[in-house]
Amino acid sequence: DAGVIQSPRHEVTEMGQEVTLRCKPISGHNSLFWYRQTMMRGLELLIYFNNNVPIDDSGMPEDRFSAKMPNASFSTLKIQPSEPRDSAVYFCASSPRGGTEAFFGQGTRLTVV
Amino acid sequence: SQELEQSPQSLIVQEGKNLTINCTSSKTLYGLYWYKQKYGEGLIFLMMLQKGGEEKSHEKITAKLDEKKQQSSLHITASQPSHAGIYLCGADLQGAQKLVFGQGTRLTINP
Protein backbone atom coordinates (compact mmCIF):
# COMPACT_ATOMS: atom_id res chain seq x y z
CA ASP A 1 0.00 0.00 0.00
CA ALA A 2 1.30 3.46 -0.88
CA GLY A 3 0.14 4.96 2.38
CA VAL A 4 -1.70 8.26 2.74
CA ILE A 5 -0.95 10.45 -0.28
CA GLN A 6 -1.08 14.22 -0.09
CA SER A 7 -0.66 16.76 -2.85
CA PRO A 8 0.97 19.07 -3.44
CA ARG A 9 4.00 18.63 -1.15
CA HIS A 10 4.74 22.34 -1.30
CA GLU A 11 2.52 25.27 -2.15
CA VAL A 12 3.43 28.92 -2.33
CA THR A 13 0.60 31.33 -3.00
CA GLU A 14 -0.21 34.98 -2.72
CA MET A 15 -2.49 36.35 -0.05
CA GLY A 16 -6.11 36.32 -1.17
CA GLN A 17 -5.75 33.35 -3.47
CA GLU A 18 -7.69 30.11 -3.08
CA VAL A 19 -5.69 27.08 -2.00
CA THR A 20 -6.81 23.45 -2.29
CA LEU A 21 -4.98 20.65 -0.54
CA ARG A 22 -5.68 17.06 -1.50
CA CYS A 23 -5.56 13.75 0.31
CA LYS A 24 -5.98 10.13 -0.70
CA PRO A 25 -6.40 7.94 2.41
CA ILE A 26 -5.34 4.33 2.71
CA SER A 27 -7.85 2.05 1.03
CA GLY A 28 -10.30 0.54 3.49
CA HIS A 29 -9.77 3.17 6.17
CA ASN A 30 -13.00 4.67 7.48
CA SER A 31 -11.69 7.70 9.39
CA LEU A 32 -9.86 10.68 7.93
CA PHE A 33 -8.27 13.57 9.79
CA TRP A 34 -6.91 16.96 8.71
CA TYR A 35 -4.27 18.58 10.93
CA ARG A 36 -2.28 21.79 10.84
CA GLN A 37 1.21 22.04 12.36
CA THR A 38 3.01 25.23 13.32
CA MET A 39 5.86 25.97 15.69
CA MET A 40 3.62 28.09 17.90
CA ARG A 41 0.56 25.87 18.15
CA GLY A 42 1.91 22.41 17.47
CA LEU A 43 -0.30 19.83 15.75
CA GLU A 44 -3.93 20.96 15.71
CA LEU A 45 -6.86 18.82 14.64
CA LEU A 46 -8.95 20.78 12.14
CA ILE A 47 -11.65 18.31 11.15
CA TYR A 48 -12.27 14.60 10.99
CA PHE A 49 -14.55 12.40 8.92
CA ASN A 50 -16.01 9.00 9.61
CA ASN A 51 -17.35 7.07 6.61
CA ASN A 52 -17.07 10.25 4.51
CA VAL A 53 -19.24 12.24 6.94
CA PRO A 54 -17.75 15.22 8.84
CA ILE A 55 -18.02 14.37 12.53
CA ASP A 56 -16.25 17.24 14.24
CA ASP A 57 -15.11 20.47 12.58
CA SER A 58 -14.67 22.45 15.78
CA GLY A 59 -10.98 22.87 15.01
CA MET A 60 -11.51 24.68 11.73
CA PRO A 61 -10.17 28.16 12.45
CA GLU A 62 -12.71 30.22 10.53
CA ASP A 63 -15.14 30.22 7.63
CA ARG A 64 -12.30 30.62 5.18
CA PHE A 65 -11.53 26.96 5.74
CA SER A 66 -13.67 24.17 4.34
CA ALA A 67 -13.18 20.44 3.91
CA LYS A 68 -14.97 17.84 1.85
CA MET A 69 -14.86 14.11 1.42
CA PRO A 70 -16.92 13.26 -1.65
CA ASN A 71 -15.97 9.59 -1.52
CA ALA A 72 -13.94 7.12 0.52
CA SER A 73 -10.77 7.68 -1.49
CA PHE A 74 -10.49 11.44 -1.65
CA SER A 75 -10.66 14.52 0.54
CA THR A 76 -9.89 18.20 0.08
CA LEU A 77 -9.11 21.06 2.41
CA LYS A 78 -9.76 24.48 0.89
CA ILE A 79 -8.73 27.90 2.11
CA GLN A 80 -10.41 30.86 0.47
CA PRO A 81 -9.11 33.53 0.68
CA SER A 82 -5.71 32.56 2.03
CA GLU A 83 -3.79 34.74 4.49
CA PRO A 84 -0.12 34.76 5.57
CA ARG A 85 -1.09 33.37 9.00
CA ASP A 86 -2.35 30.22 7.27
CA SER A 87 1.24 29.31 6.48
CA ALA A 88 1.87 25.91 8.07
CA VAL A 89 2.31 22.24 7.29
CA TYR A 90 -1.04 20.54 6.73
CA PHE A 91 -1.28 16.82 7.37
CA CYS A 92 -3.89 14.32 6.39
CA ALA A 93 -4.18 11.04 8.28
CA SER A 94 -6.44 8.01 8.03
CA SER A 95 -7.26 5.12 10.33
CA PRO A 96 -9.15 1.86 9.89
CA ARG A 97 -11.75 3.15 12.34
CA GLY A 98 -12.01 5.59 15.20
CA GLY A 99 -10.01 4.58 18.22
CA THR A 100 -7.13 3.01 16.33
CA GLU A 101 -3.80 4.40 15.25
CA ALA A 102 -3.77 6.94 12.45
CA PHE A 103 -1.40 6.82 9.49
CA PHE A 104 -0.08 10.16 8.33
CA GLY A 105 0.74 11.52 4.91
CA GLN A 106 3.95 13.44 4.25
CA GLY A 107 2.17 16.77 4.59
CA THR A 108 1.73 19.86 2.45
CA ARG A 109 3.91 22.82 3.34
CA LEU A 110 1.86 25.92 2.61
CA THR A 111 3.42 29.36 2.38
CA VAL A 112 1.16 32.37 1.86
CA VAL A 113 3.04 35.53 0.93
CA SER B 1 -3.79 20.47 22.22
CA GLN B 2 -3.73 21.84 25.77
CA GLU B 3 -5.69 18.79 26.77
CA LEU B 4 -2.42 16.89 26.51
CA GLU B 5 0.69 18.26 28.18
CA GLN B 6 4.09 16.94 27.19
CA SER B 7 7.29 17.46 29.13
CA PRO B 8 9.94 18.43 28.55
CA GLN B 9 9.40 20.55 25.44
CA SER B 10 12.97 19.91 24.36
CA LEU B 11 15.67 17.56 25.50
CA ILE B 12 19.36 17.29 24.72
CA VAL B 13 21.15 14.14 25.82
CA GLN B 14 24.50 12.55 25.27
CA GLU B 15 24.55 9.47 23.07
CA GLY B 16 24.20 6.36 25.17
CA LYS B 17 22.21 8.01 27.94
CA ASN B 18 18.67 7.10 28.95
CA LEU B 19 15.80 9.54 28.79
CA THR B 20 12.10 9.85 29.57
CA ILE B 21 9.33 11.92 28.00
CA ASN B 22 6.02 12.41 29.75
CA CYS B 23 2.48 12.98 28.52
CA THR B 24 -0.29 14.02 30.92
CA SER B 25 -4.00 14.65 30.62
CA SER B 26 -6.72 15.75 33.01
CA LYS B 27 -9.13 13.49 31.15
CA THR B 28 -9.27 9.74 30.84
CA LEU B 29 -7.26 8.48 27.91
CA TYR B 30 -9.19 5.90 25.95
CA GLY B 31 -6.22 5.32 23.71
CA LEU B 32 -2.71 6.76 23.96
CA TYR B 33 -0.48 6.88 20.89
CA TRP B 34 3.19 7.73 20.56
CA TYR B 35 4.54 9.06 17.28
CA LYS B 36 7.91 10.22 16.06
CA GLN B 37 8.47 12.95 13.50
CA LYS B 38 11.60 13.97 11.66
CA TYR B 39 11.90 17.50 10.33
CA GLY B 40 9.87 18.03 7.18
CA GLU B 41 8.30 14.60 7.31
CA GLY B 42 5.09 12.99 8.44
CA LEU B 43 4.46 11.25 11.74
CA ILE B 44 5.55 7.68 12.20
CA PHE B 45 3.49 5.53 14.54
CA LEU B 46 5.47 3.97 17.39
CA MET B 47 3.08 2.41 19.90
CA MET B 48 -0.48 2.42 21.18
CA LEU B 49 -1.56 1.84 24.77
CA GLN B 50 -5.11 1.28 25.86
CA LYS B 51 -5.25 -0.51 29.19
CA GLY B 52 -4.36 0.97 32.55
CA GLY B 53 -0.92 -0.23 33.59
CA GLU B 54 -0.06 -1.37 30.08
CA GLU B 55 3.55 -1.34 28.94
CA LYS B 56 4.96 -1.94 25.47
CA SER B 57 8.46 -2.05 24.10
CA HIS B 58 9.97 -1.80 20.66
CA GLU B 59 13.72 -2.11 20.38
CA LYS B 60 15.06 0.39 22.92
CA ILE B 61 11.84 2.34 23.37
CA THR B 62 9.36 1.53 26.14
CA ALA B 63 6.02 3.22 26.71
CA LYS B 64 3.78 2.92 29.75
CA LEU B 65 0.25 4.02 30.58
CA ASP B 66 -0.53 4.56 34.25
CA GLU B 67 -3.32 2.77 36.08
CA LYS B 68 -5.59 5.80 36.03
CA LYS B 69 -5.06 6.15 32.26
CA GLN B 70 -4.18 9.83 32.54
CA GLN B 71 -0.42 9.76 32.14
CA SER B 72 2.02 8.03 29.85
CA SER B 73 5.78 7.95 29.67
CA LEU B 74 8.15 7.10 26.84
CA HIS B 75 11.55 5.83 27.87
CA ILE B 76 14.55 5.42 25.58
CA THR B 77 17.44 3.29 26.78
CA ALA B 78 20.98 3.86 25.55
CA SER B 79 20.00 6.63 23.14
CA GLN B 80 21.42 6.73 19.61
CA PRO B 81 21.58 9.49 16.97
CA SER B 82 18.76 7.72 15.12
CA HIS B 83 16.45 8.50 18.05
CA ALA B 84 16.65 12.23 17.38
CA GLY B 85 13.42 13.90 16.29
CA ILE B 86 10.14 15.15 17.67
CA TYR B 87 8.10 12.81 19.81
CA LEU B 88 4.37 13.41 20.04
CA CYS B 89 1.77 11.80 22.19
CA GLY B 90 -1.74 11.60 20.82
CA ALA B 91 -4.89 10.49 22.53
CA ASP B 92 -8.51 9.66 22.07
CA LEU B 93 -9.95 11.64 24.95
CA GLN B 94 -12.92 10.10 26.67
CA GLY B 95 -13.83 7.94 23.74
CA ALA B 96 -14.61 10.81 21.40
CA GLN B 97 -12.80 8.90 18.64
CA LYS B 98 -10.87 11.94 17.55
CA LEU B 99 -7.11 11.97 17.89
CA VAL B 100 -5.57 15.07 19.51
CA PHE B 101 -1.88 15.66 20.16
CA GLY B 102 0.44 17.23 22.68
CA GLN B 103 2.91 19.96 21.72
CA GLY B 104 5.69 17.50 21.13
CA THR B 105 9.15 16.99 22.62
CA ARG B 106 12.16 17.82 20.47
CA LEU B 107 14.93 15.33 21.19
CA THR B 108 18.55 16.01 20.24
CA ILE B 109 21.25 13.37 20.68
CA ASN B 110 24.81 14.65 20.98
CA PRO B 111 27.56 12.28 19.85
Coordinates of all heavy atoms in Angstrom, one line a residue, chain A residues 9 31 33 35 37 39-43 45 48 50 56 58 91 98-107 109, chain B residues 1 30-31 33 35 37 39-45 48 50 86 88 92 96-103 106:
Chain A
R9 N 3.1 18.7 -2.3 CA 4.0 18.6 -1.2 C 4.4 20.0 -0.7 O 4.5 20.3 0.5 CB 5.3 17.9 -1.5 CG 5.1 16.4 -1.6 CD 4.8 15.7 -0.3 NE 5.6 16.1 0.8 CZ 6.8 15.5 1.1 NH1 7.3 14.6 0.3 NH2 7.5 15.9 2.1
S31 N -11.8 6.4 8.8 CA -11.7 7.7 9.4 C -10.6 8.5 8.7 O -9.5 7.9 8.4 CB -11.4 7.5 10.9 OG -12.4 6.9 11.6
F33 N -8.5 12.4 9.0 CA -8.3 13.6 9.8 C -7.5 14.6 9.0 O -6.6 14.2 8.2 CB -7.4 13.2 11.0 CG -8.0 12.1 11.8 CD1 -7.8 10.7 11.5 CD2 -8.8 12.3 13.0 CE1 -8.3 9.7 12.3 CE2 -9.3 11.3 13.8 CZ -9.1 10.0 13.4
Y35 N -5.0 17.9 9.9 CA -4.3 18.6 10.9 C -3.5 19.7 10.3 O -3.1 19.7 9.2 CB -3.3 17.6 11.6 CG -3.9 16.6 12.5 CD1 -4.2 15.3 11.9 CD2 -4.1 16.7 13.8 CE1 -4.7 14.3 12.7 CE2 -4.7 15.7 14.6 CZ -5.0 14.5 14.0 OH -5.5 13.5 14.8
Q37 N 0.1 22.0 11.4 CA 1.2 22.0 12.4 C 2.0 23.3 12.2 O 2.4 23.7 11.1 CB 2.1 20.8 12.2 CG 3.2 20.7 13.2 CD 4.1 19.5 13.0 OE1 4.4 19.1 11.9 NE2 4.4 18.8 14.1
M39 N 4.9 26.0 14.5 CA 5.9 26.0 15.7 C 5.1 26.5 16.9 O 5.3 26.0 18.0 CB 7.0 26.9 15.4 CG 8.0 26.3 14.4 SD 8.9 24.9 15.1 CE 10.0 25.7 16.3
M40 N 4.3 27.5 16.7 CA 3.6 28.1 17.9 C 2.5 27.2 18.5 O 2.4 27.1 19.7 CB 3.0 29.4 17.5 CG 4.0 30.5 17.2 SD 5.0 30.9 18.6 CE 3.7 31.7 19.7
R41 N 1.8 26.6 17.7 CA 0.6 25.9 18.2 C 0.7 24.4 18.1 O -0.3 23.7 18.5 CB -0.6 26.4 17.4 CG -0.9 27.9 17.5 CD -2.0 28.3 16.6 NE -3.3 27.8 17.0 CZ -4.1 28.4 17.9 NH1 -3.7 29.5 18.4 NH2 -5.2 27.8 18.3
G42 N 1.8 23.9 17.5 CA 1.9 22.4 17.5 C 1.0 21.8 16.4 O 0.6 22.4 15.4
L43 N 0.5 20.6 16.7 CA -0.3 19.8 15.7 C -1.8 20.0 16.2 O -2.2 19.5 17.2 CB 0.1 18.4 15.8 CG -0.4 17.5 14.6 CD1 0.1 17.9 13.3 CD2 0.0 16.0 14.9
L45 N -5.9 19.5 15.4 CA -6.9 18.8 14.6 C -7.9 19.8 14.1 O -8.5 20.6 14.8 CB -7.6 17.8 15.5 CG -8.7 17.0 14.9 CD1 -8.2 16.2 13.7 CD2 -9.4 16.2 15.9
Y48 N -12.4 16.0 11.3 CA -12.3 14.6 11.0 C -13.6 14.0 10.5 O -14.7 14.5 10.8 CB -11.7 13.8 12.1 CG -12.6 13.3 13.2 CD1 -13.2 12.1 13.2 CD2 -12.9 14.2 14.3 CE1 -14.0 11.6 14.3 CE2 -13.8 13.8 15.3 CZ -14.3 12.5 15.3 OH -15.1 12.1 16.3
N50 N -15.8 10.4 9.4 CA -16.0 9.0 9.6 C -17.0 8.5 8.5 O -18.1 9.1 8.4 CB -16.6 8.7 11.0 CG -16.3 7.3 11.5 OD1 -15.4 6.7 11.0 ND2 -17.1 6.8 12.4
D56 N -16.6 16.2 13.3 CA -16.3 17.2 14.2 C -15.4 18.2 13.5 O -14.3 17.9 13.1 CB -15.5 16.7 15.4 CG -15.2 17.7 16.5 OD1 -15.2 18.9 16.2 OD2 -15.1 17.3 17.7
S58 N -14.9 21.4 14.8 CA -14.7 22.5 15.8 C -13.3 23.1 15.7 O -13.0 24.2 16.2 CB -15.0 21.9 17.2 OG -14.1 20.9 17.5
F91 N -1.4 18.3 7.5 CA -1.3 16.8 7.4 C -2.7 16.2 7.2 O -3.6 16.7 7.9 CB -0.6 16.2 8.6 CG 0.9 16.5 8.7 CD1 1.4 17.4 9.5 CD2 1.7 15.7 8.0 CE1 2.7 17.7 9.6 CE2 3.1 15.9 8.1 CZ 3.6 16.9 8.9
G98 N -12.3 4.7 14.1 CA -12.0 5.6 15.2 C -11.5 4.8 16.3 O -11.9 3.6 16.6
G99 N -10.5 5.3 17.1 CA -10.0 4.6 18.2 C -8.8 3.7 17.9 O -8.4 2.9 18.7
T100 N -8.3 3.8 16.7 CA -7.1 3.0 16.3 C -6.1 4.0 15.8 O -6.4 5.2 15.6 CB -7.4 2.0 15.2 OG1 -8.0 2.6 14.1 CG2 -8.4 1.0 15.7
E101 N -4.9 3.5 15.6 CA -3.8 4.4 15.2 C -4.1 5.0 13.9 O -4.6 4.4 13.0 CB -2.4 3.7 15.3 CG -2.2 2.6 14.2 CD -2.6 1.2 14.8 OE1 -3.5 1.2 15.7 OE2 -2.0 0.3 14.3
A102 N -3.6 6.2 13.7 CA -3.8 6.9 12.5 C -2.5 6.9 11.7 O -1.4 7.0 12.3 CB -4.2 8.4 12.7
F103 N -2.6 6.8 10.4 CA -1.4 6.8 9.5 C -1.4 8.2 8.8 O -2.4 8.6 8.2 CB -1.5 5.7 8.5 CG -1.5 4.3 9.1 CD1 -2.6 3.8 9.7 CD2 -0.3 3.6 9.2 CE1 -2.6 2.5 10.3 CE2 -0.3 2.3 9.8 CZ -1.4 1.8 10.4
F104 N -0.2 8.8 8.8 CA -0.1 10.2 8.3 C 0.5 10.2 6.9 O 1.4 9.4 6.6 CB 0.8 11.0 9.3 CG 0.0 11.5 10.5 CD1 -0.2 10.6 11.5 CD2 -0.4 12.8 10.6 CE1 -0.9 11.0 12.6 CE2 -1.0 13.2 11.7 CZ -1.3 12.4 12.7
G105 N 0.1 11.2 6.2 CA 0.7 11.5 4.9 C 2.0 12.3 5.2 O 2.3 12.7 6.3
Q106 N 2.7 12.7 4.1 CA 4.0 13.4 4.3 C 3.7 14.9 4.5 O 4.6 15.7 4.8 CB 4.8 13.2 3.0 CG 5.4 11.9 2.9 CD 6.5 11.6 3.9 OE1 6.2 11.4 5.1 NE2 7.7 11.7 3.5
G107 N 2.5 15.4 4.3 CA 2.2 16.8 4.6 C 2.3 17.7 3.4 O 3.0 17.3 2.4
R109 N 3.4 21.6 2.7 CA 3.9 22.8 3.3 C 3.4 24.0 2.6 O 3.7 24.2 1.4 CB 5.4 22.8 3.3 CG 6.1 24.1 4.0 CD 7.6 23.9 4.1 NE 8.0 22.8 4.9 CZ 8.1 22.9 6.2 NH1 7.8 24.0 6.9 NH2 8.5 21.8 6.9
Chain B
S1 N -2.6 20.4 21.4 CA -3.8 20.5 22.2 C -3.4 20.7 23.7 O -2.5 20.0 24.2 CB -4.6 19.2 22.1 OG -5.6 19.1 23.1
Y30 N -8.6 7.2 26.4 CA -9.2 5.9 26.0 C -8.3 5.2 25.0 O -8.5 4.1 24.6 CB -10.6 6.1 25.3 CG -11.6 6.3 26.4 CD1 -11.7 7.5 27.1 CD2 -12.5 5.3 26.7 CE1 -12.7 7.6 28.1 CE2 -13.5 5.4 27.6 CZ -13.6 6.6 28.3 OH -14.5 6.7 29.3
G31 N -7.2 5.9 24.6 CA -6.2 5.3 23.7 C -5.1 6.3 23.7 O -5.3 7.5 23.6
Y33 N -1.3 7.2 22.0 CA -0.5 6.9 20.9 C 0.8 7.7 21.0 O 0.8 8.9 21.2 CB -1.2 7.2 19.6 CG -2.6 6.6 19.5 CD1 -3.7 7.2 20.1 CD2 -2.8 5.4 18.8 CE1 -4.9 6.6 20.0 CE2 -4.0 4.9 18.6 CZ -5.1 5.5 19.3 OH -6.4 4.9 19.2
Y35 N 4.0 8.9 18.6 CA 4.5 9.1 17.3 C 5.9 9.7 17.3 O 6.2 10.5 18.2 CB 3.6 9.9 16.4 CG 2.3 9.3 16.0 CD1 1.2 9.2 16.9 CD2 2.2 8.8 14.7 CE1 0.0 8.6 16.5 CE2 1.0 8.2 14.3 CZ -0.1 8.1 15.2 OH -1.3 7.5 14.8
Q37 N 8.4 12.1 14.7 CA 8.5 13.0 13.5 C 9.9 13.5 13.3 O 10.5 14.0 14.2 CB 7.5 14.1 13.6 CG 7.4 15.0 12.4 CD 6.4 16.1 12.5 OE1 6.2 16.6 13.6 NE2 5.8 16.6 11.4
Y39 N 12.2 16.2 10.9 CA 11.9 17.5 10.3 C 11.5 17.4 8.9 O 12.1 16.7 8.1 CB 13.1 18.4 10.4 CG 12.9 19.8 9.8 CD1 12.1 20.7 10.5 CD2 13.4 20.1 8.5 CE1 11.9 22.0 9.9 CE2 13.2 21.3 8.0 CZ 12.4 22.2 8.7 OH 12.2 23.5 8.1
G40 N 10.3 18.0 8.6 CA 9.9 18.0 7.2 C 9.2 16.8 6.7 O 8.8 16.6 5.6
E41 N 8.9 15.9 7.7 CA 8.3 14.6 7.3 C 7.0 14.4 8.1 O 6.7 15.1 9.0 CB 9.3 13.4 7.5 CG 10.5 13.6 6.7 CD 11.5 12.4 7.0 OE1 11.1 11.4 7.6 OE2 12.7 12.5 6.5
G42 N 6.3 13.3 7.7 CA 5.1 13.0 8.4 C 5.4 12.3 9.7 O 6.5 12.0 10.1
L43 N 4.3 11.9 10.5 CA 4.5 11.3 11.7 C 4.5 9.8 11.5 O 3.8 9.2 10.7 CB 3.3 11.6 12.6 CG 3.3 12.9 13.4 CD1 3.2 14.1 12.4 CD2 2.2 13.0 14.5
I44 N 5.4 9.1 12.3 CA 5.6 7.7 12.2 C 5.0 7.1 13.5 O 5.4 7.5 14.6 CB 7.0 7.3 12.0 CG1 7.6 7.9 10.8 CG2 7.1 5.7 12.0 CD1 6.9 7.5 9.5
F45 N 4.1 6.2 13.4 CA 3.5 5.5 14.5 C 4.5 4.7 15.3 O 5.2 3.9 14.6 CB 2.3 4.7 14.1 CG 1.7 3.8 15.2 CD1 0.9 4.4 16.2 CD2 1.9 2.5 15.2 CE1 0.4 3.6 17.2 CE2 1.3 1.7 16.1 CZ 0.6 2.2 17.1
M48 N 0.8 2.0 20.7 CA -0.5 2.4 21.2 C -0.7 1.7 22.5 O -0.4 0.5 22.6 CB -1.6 2.0 20.2 CG -3.0 2.3 20.7 SD -4.3 1.9 19.5 CE -4.2 0.2 19.5
Q50 N -3.7 1.1 25.6 CA -5.1 1.3 25.9 C -5.5 0.9 27.3 O -6.5 1.5 27.8 CB -6.0 0.5 24.9 CG -5.9 1.0 23.5 CD -6.9 0.3 22.5 OE1 -6.8 -0.9 22.4 NE2 -7.8 1.0 21.9
I86 N 11.2 14.6 16.8 CA 10.1 15.1 17.7 C 9.2 14.0 18.0 O 8.7 13.3 17.2 CB 9.3 16.3 16.9 CG1 10.3 17.4 16.6 CG2 8.2 16.8 17.8 CD1 9.6 18.4 15.7
L88 N 5.7 12.9 19.7 CA 4.4 13.4 20.0 C 3.5 12.3 20.6 O 3.5 11.2 20.1 CB 3.7 14.0 18.8 CG 4.3 15.2 18.1 CD1 5.1 14.7 16.9 CD2 3.3 16.2 17.8
D92 N -7.1 9.6 22.3 CA -8.5 9.7 22.1 C -9.1 10.0 23.5 O -9.1 9.1 24.3 CB -9.0 8.3 21.6 CG -10.5 8.2 21.5 OD1 -11.2 9.2 21.8 OD2 -11.0 7.1 21.1
A96 N -14.0 10.0 22.4 CA -14.6 10.8 21.4 C -14.2 10.4 20.0 O -14.7 10.9 19.0 CB -14.2 12.3 21.6
Q97 N -13.3 9.4 19.9 CA -12.8 8.9 18.6 C -12.2 10.0 17.7 O -12.2 9.8 16.5 CB -13.9 8.2 17.9 CG -14.4 6.9 18.7 CD -15.2 6.0 17.8 OE1 -15.7 6.4 16.7 NE2 -15.4 4.8 18.3
K98 N -11.7 11.0 18.3 CA -10.9 11.9 17.5 C -9.5 12.0 18.2 O -9.4 12.1 19.4 CB -11.5 13.3 17.4 CG -11.6 14.1 18.7 CD -12.3 15.5 18.4 CE -12.3 16.4 19.6 NZ -12.9 17.7 19.3
L99 N -8.5 12.1 17.4 CA -7.1 12.0 17.9 C -6.5 13.4 18.0 O -6.3 14.1 17.0 CB -6.3 11.1 16.9 CG -4.9 10.6 17.3 CD1 -5.0 9.8 18.6 CD2 -4.3 9.8 16.2
V100 N -6.2 13.8 19.3 CA -5.6 15.1 19.5 C -4.2 14.8 20.0 O -3.9 13.8 20.6 CB -6.4 15.9 20.5 CG1 -7.7 16.3 19.9 CG2 -6.5 15.2 21.8
F101 N -3.3 15.8 19.9 CA -1.9 15.7 20.2 C -1.4 16.7 21.2 O -1.9 17.8 21.3 CB -1.0 15.8 18.9 CG -1.1 14.6 18.0 CD1 -2.2 14.4 17.1 CD2 -0.2 13.5 18.1 CE1 -2.3 13.3 16.3 CE2 -0.3 12.4 17.3 CZ -1.4 12.3 16.4
G102 N -0.3 16.3 21.9 CA 0.4 17.2 22.7 C 1.3 18.1 21.8 O 1.4 17.9 20.6
Q103 N 2.1 19.0 22.5 CA 2.9 20.0 21.7 C 4.2 19.3 21.2 O 4.8 19.9 20.3 CB 3.3 21.1 22.7 CG 2.2 22.1 22.9 CD 2.0 23.0 21.8 OE1 1.4 22.7 20.8 NE2 2.5 24.2 21.9
R106 N 11.1 17.9 21.4 CA 12.2 17.8 20.5 C 13.4 17.2 21.1 O 13.9 17.8 22.1 CB 12.5 19.2 20.0 CG 13.5 19.3 18.9 CD 13.7 20.7 18.4 NE 12.5 21.3 17.8 CZ 12.2 21.1 16.5 NH1 13.0 20.5 15.7 NH2 11.1 21.6 16.0

